[in-house]
PDB file of all heavy atoms in Angstrom:
ATOM      1  N   THR A   1     -27.148  41.682  16.317  1.00  0.00           N
ATOM      2  CA  THR A   1     -27.211  41.635  17.770  1.00  0.00           C
ATOM      3  C   THR A   1     -27.018  40.120  18.292  1.00  0.00           C
ATOM      4  O   THR A   1     -26.168  39.915  19.255  1.00  0.00           O
ATOM      5  CB  THR A   1     -28.589  42.141  18.228  1.00  0.00           C
ATOM      6  OG1 THR A   1     -28.691  43.504  17.824  1.00  0.00           O
ATOM      7  CG2 THR A   1     -28.640  42.053  19.749  1.00  0.00           C
ATOM      8  N   ALA A   2     -27.594  39.221  17.641  1.00  0.00           N
ATOM      9  CA  ALA A   2     -27.463  37.733  17.965  1.00  0.00           C
ATOM     10  C   ALA A   2     -25.978  37.314  17.773  1.00  0.00           C
ATOM     11  O   ALA A   2     -25.400  36.562  18.571  1.00  0.00           O
ATOM     12  CB  ALA A   2     -28.356  36.866  17.264  1.00  0.00           C
ATOM     13  N   LEU A   3     -25.295  37.702  16.733  1.00  0.00           N
ATOM     14  CA  LEU A   3     -23.977  37.378  16.470  1.00  0.00           C
ATOM     15  C   LEU A   3     -22.942  38.021  17.511  1.00  0.00           C
ATOM     16  O   LEU A   3     -22.070  37.387  17.906  1.00  0.00           O
ATOM     17  CB  LEU A   3     -23.543  37.606  15.020  1.00  0.00           C
ATOM     18  CG  LEU A   3     -24.041  36.879  13.910  1.00  0.00           C
ATOM     19  CD1 LEU A   3     -23.973  37.435  12.531  1.00  0.00           C
ATOM     20  CD2 LEU A   3     -23.538  35.393  14.013  1.00  0.00           C
ATOM     21  N   VAL A   4     -23.236  39.313  17.774  1.00  0.00           N
ATOM     22  CA  VAL A   4     -22.374  39.913  18.847  1.00  0.00           C
ATOM     23  C   VAL A   4     -22.487  39.271  20.107  1.00  0.00           C
ATOM     24  O   VAL A   4     -21.561  39.121  20.935  1.00  0.00           O
ATOM     25  CB  VAL A   4     -22.730  41.447  18.838  1.00  0.00           C
ATOM     26  CG1 VAL A   4     -21.916  42.070  19.955  1.00  0.00           C
ATOM     27  CG2 VAL A   4     -22.225  42.188  17.478  1.00  0.00           C
ATOM     28  N   ALA A   5     -23.712  38.897  20.441  1.00  0.00           N
ATOM     29  CA  ALA A   5     -24.015  38.169  21.712  1.00  0.00           C
ATOM     30  C   ALA A   5     -23.281  36.846  21.890  1.00  0.00           C
ATOM     31  O   ALA A   5     -23.029  36.513  23.104  1.00  0.00           O
ATOM     32  CB  ALA A   5     -25.484  37.893  21.930  1.00  0.00           C
ATOM     33  N   VAL A   6     -22.946  36.228  20.844  1.00  0.00           N
ATOM     34  CA  VAL A   6     -22.153  34.976  20.932  1.00  0.00           C
ATOM     35  C   VAL A   6     -20.755  35.142  20.575  1.00  0.00           C
ATOM     36  O   VAL A   6     -19.976  34.229  20.103  1.00  0.00           O
ATOM     37  CB  VAL A   6     -22.741  33.771  20.025  1.00  0.00           C
ATOM     38  CG1 VAL A   6     -24.164  33.379  20.642  1.00  0.00           C
ATOM     39  CG2 VAL A   6     -22.894  34.217  18.674  1.00  0.00           C
ATOM     40  N   ASP A   7     -20.351  36.411  20.629  1.00  0.00           N
ATOM     41  CA  ASP A   7     -18.919  36.801  20.533  1.00  0.00           C
ATOM     42  C   ASP A   7     -18.436  36.596  19.047  1.00  0.00           C
ATOM     43  O   ASP A   7     -17.357  36.192  18.907  1.00  0.00           O
ATOM     44  CB  ASP A   7     -17.979  36.154  21.551  1.00  0.00           C
ATOM     45  CG  ASP A   7     -16.618  36.822  21.635  1.00  0.00           C
ATOM     46  OD1 ASP A   7     -16.544  38.109  21.553  1.00  0.00           O
ATOM     47  OD2 ASP A   7     -15.559  36.062  21.906  1.00  0.00           O
ATOM     48  N   ILE A   8     -19.183  36.861  18.108  1.00  0.00           N
ATOM     49  CA  ILE A   8     -18.806  36.751  16.678  1.00  0.00           C
ATOM     50  C   ILE A   8     -18.848  38.290  16.176  1.00  0.00           C
ATOM     51  O   ILE A   8     -20.009  38.809  16.059  1.00  0.00           O
ATOM     52  CB  ILE A   8     -19.683  35.835  15.848  1.00  0.00           C
ATOM     53  CG1 ILE A   8     -19.451  34.468  16.265  1.00  0.00           C
ATOM     54  CG2 ILE A   8     -19.328  35.963  14.350  1.00  0.00           C
ATOM     55  CD1 ILE A   8     -20.352  33.423  15.617  1.00  0.00           C
ATOM     56  N   VAL A   9     -17.802  38.654  15.864  1.00  0.00           N
ATOM     57  CA  VAL A   9     -17.716  40.066  15.390  1.00  0.00           C
ATOM     58  C   VAL A   9     -16.876  40.095  14.037  1.00  0.00           C
ATOM     59  O   VAL A   9     -16.050  39.178  13.755  1.00  0.00           O
ATOM     60  CB  VAL A   9     -16.949  41.150  16.386  1.00  0.00           C
ATOM     61  CG1 VAL A   9     -17.757  41.233  17.558  1.00  0.00           C
ATOM     62  CG2 VAL A   9     -15.620  40.563  16.651  1.00  0.00           C
ATOM     63  N   GLY A  10     -17.166  40.951  13.104  1.00  0.00           N
ATOM     64  CA  GLY A  10     -16.552  41.016  11.810  1.00  0.00           C
ATOM     65  C   GLY A  10     -17.645  40.346  10.909  1.00  0.00           C
ATOM     66  O   GLY A  10     -18.005  39.235  10.895  1.00  0.00           O
ATOM     67  N   LEU A  11     -18.214  41.292  10.216  1.00  0.00           N
ATOM     68  CA  LEU A  11     -19.461  41.019   9.354  1.00  0.00           C
ATOM     69  C   LEU A  11     -19.316  41.930   8.076  1.00  0.00           C
ATOM     70  O   LEU A  11     -19.163  43.099   8.255  1.00  0.00           O
ATOM     71  CB  LEU A  11     -20.614  41.150  10.159  1.00  0.00           C
ATOM     72  CG  LEU A  11     -22.116  41.172   9.529  1.00  0.00           C
ATOM     73  CD1 LEU A  11     -22.331  39.716   9.199  1.00  0.00           C
ATOM     74  CD2 LEU A  11     -23.109  41.593  10.527  1.00  0.00           C
ATOM     75  N   THR A  12     -19.715  41.370   6.963  1.00  0.00           N
ATOM     76  CA  THR A  12     -19.775  42.158   5.732  1.00  0.00           C
ATOM     77  C   THR A  12     -21.185  42.146   5.329  1.00  0.00           C
ATOM     78  O   THR A  12     -21.820  40.975   5.283  1.00  0.00           O
ATOM     79  CB  THR A  12     -18.812  41.764   4.639  1.00  0.00           C
ATOM     80  OG1 THR A  12     -17.484  41.780   5.020  1.00  0.00           O
ATOM     81  CG2 THR A  12     -18.986  42.613   3.395  1.00  0.00           C
ATOM     82  N   VAL A  13     -21.855  43.205   4.916  1.00  0.00           N
ATOM     83  CA  VAL A  13     -23.235  43.347   4.545  1.00  0.00           C
ATOM     84  C   VAL A  13     -23.315  43.920   3.196  1.00  0.00           C
ATOM     85  O   VAL A  13     -22.748  44.958   2.892  1.00  0.00           O
ATOM     86  CB  VAL A  13     -24.107  44.140   5.587  1.00  0.00           C
ATOM     87  CG1 VAL A  13     -25.534  44.202   5.070  1.00  0.00           C
ATOM     88  CG2 VAL A  13     -23.933  43.533   6.988  1.00  0.00           C
ATOM     89  N   CYS A  14     -24.113  43.238   2.257  1.00  0.00           N
ATOM     90  CA  CYS A  14     -24.257  43.760   1.019  1.00  0.00           C
ATOM     91  C   CYS A  14     -25.925  43.667   0.720  1.00  0.00           C
ATOM     92  O   CYS A  14     -26.519  42.682   1.078  1.00  0.00           O
ATOM     93  CB  CYS A  14     -23.667  42.871  -0.079  1.00  0.00           C
ATOM     94  SG  CYS A  14     -21.901  42.847   0.111  1.00  0.00           S
ATOM     95  N   ASP A  15     -26.290  44.681   0.018  1.00  0.00           N
ATOM     96  CA  ASP A  15     -27.778  44.580  -0.457  1.00  0.00           C
ATOM     97  C   ASP A  15     -27.872  43.622  -1.652  1.00  0.00           C
ATOM     98  O   ASP A  15     -26.899  43.628  -2.498  1.00  0.00           O
ATOM     99  CB  ASP A  15     -28.272  45.989  -0.892  1.00  0.00           C
ATOM    100  CG  ASP A  15     -28.493  46.856   0.435  1.00  0.00           C
ATOM    101  OD1 ASP A  15     -28.854  46.418   1.512  1.00  0.00           O
ATOM    102  OD2 ASP A  15     -28.271  48.159   0.232  1.00  0.00           O
ATOM    103  N   ALA A  16     -28.956  42.787  -1.654  1.00  0.00           N
ATOM    104  CA  ALA A  16     -29.003  41.900  -2.687  1.00  0.00           C
ATOM    105  C   ALA A  16     -30.523  41.834  -3.058  1.00  0.00           C
ATOM    106  O   ALA A  16     -31.372  42.207  -2.346  1.00  0.00           O
ATOM    107  CB  ALA A  16     -28.548  40.442  -2.308  1.00  0.00           C
ATOM    108  N   ARG A  17     -30.829  41.248  -4.301  1.00  0.00           N
ATOM    109  CA  ARG A  17     -32.113  41.022  -4.737  1.00  0.00           C
ATOM    110  C   ARG A  17     -32.142  39.645  -5.317  1.00  0.00           C
ATOM    111  O   ARG A  17     -31.167  39.156  -6.019  1.00  0.00           O
ATOM    112  CB  ARG A  17     -32.563  42.082  -5.829  1.00  0.00           C
ATOM    113  CG  ARG A  17     -32.658  43.539  -5.255  1.00  0.00           C
ATOM    114  CD  ARG A  17     -33.228  44.556  -6.160  1.00  0.00           C
ATOM    115  NE  ARG A  17     -32.610  44.342  -7.517  1.00  0.00           N
ATOM    116  CZ  ARG A  17     -33.225  44.577  -8.728  1.00  0.00           C
ATOM    117  NH1 ARG A  17     -34.522  44.896  -8.690  1.00  0.00           N
ATOM    118  NH2 ARG A  17     -32.583  44.325  -9.792  1.00  0.00           N
ATOM    119  N   GLY A  18     -33.352  38.956  -5.212  1.00  0.00           N
ATOM    120  CA  GLY A  18     -33.371  37.579  -5.707  1.00  0.00           C
ATOM    121  C   GLY A  18     -34.687  37.038  -5.474  1.00  0.00           C
ATOM    122  O   GLY A  18     -35.621  37.709  -4.915  1.00  0.00           O
ATOM    123  N   PHE A  19     -34.847  35.740  -5.821  1.00  0.00           N
ATOM    124  CA  PHE A  19     -36.085  35.019  -5.465  1.00  0.00           C
ATOM    125  C   PHE A  19     -35.755  33.484  -5.436  1.00  0.00           C
ATOM    126  O   PHE A  19     -34.857  32.980  -5.924  1.00  0.00           O
ATOM    127  CB  PHE A  19     -37.242  35.169  -6.691  1.00  0.00           C
ATOM    128  CG  PHE A  19     -36.887  34.599  -7.919  1.00  0.00           C
ATOM    129  CD1 PHE A  19     -37.330  33.318  -8.199  1.00  0.00           C
ATOM    130  CD2 PHE A  19     -36.275  35.329  -8.901  1.00  0.00           C
ATOM    131  CE1 PHE A  19     -37.040  32.850  -9.468  1.00  0.00           C
ATOM    132  CE2 PHE A  19     -35.958  34.853 -10.136  1.00  0.00           C
ATOM    133  CZ  PHE A  19     -36.418  33.531 -10.436  1.00  0.00           C
ATOM    134  N   GLY A  20     -36.636  32.873  -4.762  1.00  0.00           N
ATOM    135  CA  GLY A  20     -36.443  31.421  -4.466  1.00  0.00           C
ATOM    136  C   GLY A  20     -37.759  30.713  -4.855  1.00  0.00           C
ATOM    137  O   GLY A  20     -38.347  31.107  -5.999  1.00  0.00           O
ATOM    138  N   ARG A  21     -38.232  29.853  -3.989  1.00  0.00           N
ATOM    139  CA  ARG A  21     -39.500  29.225  -4.310  1.00  0.00           C
ATOM    140  C   ARG A  21     -40.763  29.992  -4.509  1.00  0.00           C
ATOM    141  O   ARG A  21     -41.595  29.541  -5.187  1.00  0.00           O
ATOM    142  CB  ARG A  21     -39.763  28.193  -3.217  1.00  0.00           C
ATOM    143  CG  ARG A  21     -38.711  27.007  -3.254  1.00  0.00           C
ATOM    144  CD  ARG A  21     -39.117  25.938  -2.331  1.00  0.00           C
ATOM    145  NE  ARG A  21     -38.194  24.981  -2.262  1.00  0.00           N
ATOM    146  CZ  ARG A  21     -37.979  23.980  -1.240  1.00  0.00           C
ATOM    147  NH1 ARG A  21     -38.803  24.041  -0.276  1.00  0.00           N
ATOM    148  NH2 ARG A  21     -37.207  23.013  -1.391  1.00  0.00           N
ATOM    149  N   GLN A  22     -40.606  31.106  -3.794  1.00  0.00           N
ATOM    150  CA  GLN A  22     -41.876  32.068  -4.000  1.00  0.00           C
ATOM    151  C   GLN A  22     -41.984  32.740  -5.292  1.00  0.00           C
ATOM    152  O   GLN A  22     -42.996  33.188  -5.747  1.00  0.00           O
ATOM    153  CB  GLN A  22     -41.938  33.076  -2.837  1.00  0.00           C
ATOM    154  CG  GLN A  22     -41.016  34.296  -2.983  1.00  0.00           C
ATOM    155  CD  GLN A  22     -39.575  33.969  -2.454  1.00  0.00           C
ATOM    156  OE1 GLN A  22     -39.163  32.893  -2.404  1.00  0.00           O
ATOM    157  NE2 GLN A  22     -38.978  35.068  -2.170  1.00  0.00           N
ATOM    158  N   LYS A  23     -40.901  32.691  -6.146  1.00  0.00           N
ATOM    159  CA  LYS A  23     -40.739  33.224  -7.437  1.00  0.00           C
ATOM    160  C   LYS A  23     -41.360  34.669  -7.599  1.00  0.00           C
ATOM    161  O   LYS A  23     -42.087  34.963  -8.473  1.00  0.00           O
ATOM    162  CB  LYS A  23     -41.526  32.271  -8.442  1.00  0.00           C
ATOM    163  CG  LYS A  23     -41.053  30.956  -8.576  1.00  0.00           C
ATOM    164  CD  LYS A  23     -41.832  30.094  -9.370  1.00  0.00           C
ATOM    165  CE  LYS A  23     -41.344  28.679  -9.559  1.00  0.00           C
ATOM    166  NZ  LYS A  23     -41.642  27.797  -8.402  1.00  0.00           N
ATOM    167  N   GLY A  24     -40.963  35.488  -6.606  1.00  0.00           N
ATOM    168  CA  GLY A  24     -41.540  36.775  -6.591  1.00  0.00           C
ATOM    169  C   GLY A  24     -42.797  36.928  -5.841  1.00  0.00           C
ATOM    170  O   GLY A  24     -43.182  35.853  -5.311  1.00  0.00           O
ATOM    171  N   GLN A  25     -43.581  37.877  -5.889  1.00  0.00           N
ATOM    172  CA  GLN A  25     -44.787  37.999  -5.267  1.00  0.00           C
ATOM    173  C   GLN A  25     -45.676  39.094  -5.948  1.00  0.00           C
ATOM    174  O   GLN A  25     -45.088  39.902  -6.546  1.00  0.00           O
ATOM    175  CB  GLN A  25     -44.601  38.295  -3.805  1.00  0.00           C
ATOM    176  CG  GLN A  25     -43.907  39.606  -3.468  1.00  0.00           C
ATOM    177  CD  GLN A  25     -43.662  39.797  -1.984  1.00  0.00           C
ATOM    178  OE1 GLN A  25     -43.793  38.932  -1.283  1.00  0.00           O
ATOM    179  NE2 GLN A  25     -43.296  41.058  -1.610  1.00  0.00           N
ATOM    180  N   VAL A  26     -47.006  39.010  -5.784  1.00  0.00           N
ATOM    181  CA  VAL A  26     -47.783  39.997  -6.443  1.00  0.00           C
ATOM    182  C   VAL A  26     -48.121  41.016  -5.290  1.00  0.00           C
ATOM    183  O   VAL A  26     -48.454  40.756  -4.203  1.00  0.00           O
ATOM    184  CB  VAL A  26     -49.124  39.286  -6.906  1.00  0.00           C
ATOM    185  CG1 VAL A  26     -50.103  40.341  -7.348  1.00  0.00           C
ATOM    186  CG2 VAL A  26     -48.843  38.166  -7.778  1.00  0.00           C
ATOM    187  N   GLU A  27     -47.965  42.268  -5.767  1.00  0.00           N
ATOM    188  CA  GLU A  27     -48.290  43.403  -4.851  1.00  0.00           C
ATOM    189  C   GLU A  27     -49.307  44.175  -5.397  1.00  0.00           C
ATOM    190  O   GLU A  27     -49.607  44.159  -6.569  1.00  0.00           O
ATOM    191  CB  GLU A  27     -46.929  44.153  -4.784  1.00  0.00           C
ATOM    192  CG  GLU A  27     -45.841  43.595  -4.200  1.00  0.00           C
ATOM    193  CD  GLU A  27     -45.630  43.740  -2.763  1.00  0.00           C
ATOM    194  OE1 GLU A  27     -46.012  44.732  -2.272  1.00  0.00           O
ATOM    195  OE2 GLU A  27     -44.927  42.911  -2.078  1.00  0.00           O
ATOM    196  N   ARG A  28     -49.962  44.994  -4.579  1.00  0.00           N
ATOM    197  CA  ARG A  28     -50.947  45.959  -4.981  1.00  0.00           C
ATOM    198  C   ARG A  28     -50.535  47.362  -4.539  1.00  0.00           C
ATOM    199  O   ARG A  28     -50.056  47.498  -3.452  1.00  0.00           O
ATOM    200  CB  ARG A  28     -52.328  45.710  -4.335  1.00  0.00           C
ATOM    201  CG  ARG A  28     -52.991  44.453  -4.864  1.00  0.00           C
ATOM    202  CD  ARG A  28     -54.438  44.440  -4.185  1.00  0.00           C
ATOM    203  NE  ARG A  28     -54.951  43.162  -4.576  1.00  0.00           N
ATOM    204  CZ  ARG A  28     -55.926  43.013  -5.634  1.00  0.00           C
ATOM    205  NH1 ARG A  28     -56.092  44.118  -6.305  1.00  0.00           N
ATOM    206  NH2 ARG A  28     -56.387  41.932  -5.897  1.00  0.00           N
ATOM    207  N   TYR A  29     -50.688  48.272  -5.478  1.00  0.00           N
ATOM    208  CA  TYR A  29     -50.219  49.682  -5.265  1.00  0.00           C
ATOM    209  C   TYR A  29     -51.341  50.547  -5.914  1.00  0.00           C
ATOM    210  O   TYR A  29     -51.526  50.522  -7.100  1.00  0.00           O
ATOM    211  CB  TYR A  29     -48.854  49.946  -5.750  1.00  0.00           C
ATOM    212  CG  TYR A  29     -48.411  51.428  -5.561  1.00  0.00           C
ATOM    213  CD1 TYR A  29     -48.155  51.944  -4.239  1.00  0.00           C
ATOM    214  CD2 TYR A  29     -48.414  52.396  -6.645  1.00  0.00           C
ATOM    215  CE1 TYR A  29     -47.809  53.121  -4.049  1.00  0.00           C
ATOM    216  CE2 TYR A  29     -48.035  53.556  -6.320  1.00  0.00           C
ATOM    217  CZ  TYR A  29     -47.720  54.120  -5.049  1.00  0.00           C
ATOM    218  OH  TYR A  29     -47.382  55.301  -4.817  1.00  0.00           O
ATOM    219  N   ARG A  30     -52.101  51.249  -5.122  1.00  0.00           N
ATOM    220  CA  ARG A  30     -53.125  52.193  -5.709  1.00  0.00           C
ATOM    221  C   ARG A  30     -54.104  51.449  -6.660  1.00  0.00           C
ATOM    222  O   ARG A  30     -54.491  51.950  -7.659  1.00  0.00           O
ATOM    223  CB  ARG A  30     -52.645  53.395  -6.244  1.00  0.00           C
ATOM    224  CG  ARG A  30     -51.753  54.286  -5.419  1.00  0.00           C
ATOM    225  CD  ARG A  30     -51.342  55.557  -6.042  1.00  0.00           C
ATOM    226  NE  ARG A  30     -50.649  56.422  -5.136  1.00  0.00           N
ATOM    227  CZ  ARG A  30     -50.254  57.525  -5.305  1.00  0.00           C
ATOM    228  NH1 ARG A  30     -50.298  58.115  -6.592  1.00  0.00           N
ATOM    229  NH2 ARG A  30     -49.672  58.399  -4.358  1.00  0.00           N
ATOM    230  N   GLY A  31     -54.408  50.277  -6.200  1.00  0.00           N
ATOM    231  CA  GLY A  31     -55.399  49.392  -6.939  1.00  0.00           C
ATOM    232  C   GLY A  31     -54.905  48.675  -8.083  1.00  0.00           C
ATOM    233  O   GLY A  31     -55.591  47.926  -8.718  1.00  0.00           O
ATOM    234  N   ASN A  32     -53.654  48.839  -8.454  1.00  0.00           N
ATOM    235  CA  ASN A  32     -53.031  48.181  -9.459  1.00  0.00           C
ATOM    236  C   ASN A  32     -52.194  46.948  -9.027  1.00  0.00           C
ATOM    237  O   ASN A  32     -51.526  47.222  -8.099  1.00  0.00           O
ATOM    238  CB  ASN A  32     -52.133  49.107 -10.335  1.00  0.00           C
ATOM    239  CG  ASN A  32     -52.941  50.212 -11.095  1.00  0.00           C
ATOM    240  OD1 ASN A  32     -53.937  49.838 -11.481  1.00  0.00           O
ATOM    241  ND2 ASN A  32     -52.344  51.268 -11.250  1.00  0.00           N
ATOM    242  N   GLU A  33     -52.333  45.804  -9.681  1.00  0.00           N
ATOM    243  CA  GLU A  33     -51.457  44.705  -9.303  1.00  0.00           C
ATOM    244  C   GLU A  33     -50.233  44.621 -10.113  1.00  0.00           C
ATOM    245  O   GLU A  33     -50.302  44.919 -11.345  1.00  0.00           O
ATOM    246  CB  GLU A  33     -52.281  43.390  -9.529  1.00  0.00           C
ATOM    247  CG  GLU A  33     -53.250  42.911  -8.469  1.00  0.00           C
ATOM    248  CD  GLU A  33     -53.630  41.556  -8.623  1.00  0.00           C
ATOM    249  OE1 GLU A  33     -53.172  40.831  -9.504  1.00  0.00           O
ATOM    250  OE2 GLU A  33     -54.561  41.139  -7.794  1.00  0.00           O
ATOM    251  N   PHE A  34     -49.081  44.379  -9.596  1.00  0.00           N
ATOM    252  CA  PHE A  34     -47.891  44.173 -10.204  1.00  0.00           C
ATOM    253  C   PHE A  34     -47.112  43.118  -9.665  1.00  0.00           C
ATOM    254  O   PHE A  34     -47.210  42.867  -8.380  1.00  0.00           O
ATOM    255  CB  PHE A  34     -47.082  45.429 -10.389  1.00  0.00           C
ATOM    256  CG  PHE A  34     -46.644  46.090  -9.144  1.00  0.00           C
ATOM    257  CD1 PHE A  34     -45.413  45.891  -8.662  1.00  0.00           C
ATOM    258  CD2 PHE A  34     -47.562  46.926  -8.417  1.00  0.00           C
ATOM    259  CE1 PHE A  34     -44.997  46.453  -7.460  1.00  0.00           C
ATOM    260  CE2 PHE A  34     -47.131  47.415  -7.262  1.00  0.00           C
ATOM    261  CZ  PHE A  34     -45.910  47.314  -6.744  1.00  0.00           C
ATOM    262  N   THR A  35     -46.270  42.422 -10.320  1.00  0.00           N
ATOM    263  CA  THR A  35     -45.360  41.339  -9.851  1.00  0.00           C
ATOM    264  C   THR A  35     -44.012  41.916  -9.443  1.00  0.00           C
ATOM    265  O   THR A  35     -43.339  42.472 -10.299  1.00  0.00           O
ATOM    266  CB  THR A  35     -45.140  40.167 -10.906  1.00  0.00           C
ATOM    267  OG1 THR A  35     -46.632  39.715 -11.134  1.00  0.00           O
ATOM    268  CG2 THR A  35     -44.542  39.024 -10.242  1.00  0.00           C
TER     269      THR A  35
END
């Protein structure tokens, strides 16, 4: 929406996975911790 508002159209979107400084994160699911 922000790009269209400044008259920039034409965009390619891809799903990606990665990590940076946070090096992943610890999650909890049904009482179990996993990274």
Side-chain angles (χ1 to χ4, degrees):
T1 302
L3 288 169
V4 170
V6 294
D7 198 33
I8 296 175
V9 293
L11 171 72
T12 302
V13 179
C14 299
D15 290 325
R17 294 185 314 145
F19 70 90
R21 288 187 180 162
Q22 78 272 23
K23 298 178 182 77
Q25 61 188 13
V26 176
E27 299 267 336
R28 288 187 186 266
Y29 180 71
R30 294 187 178 180
N32 295 324
E33 278 191 5
F34 61 96
T35 302

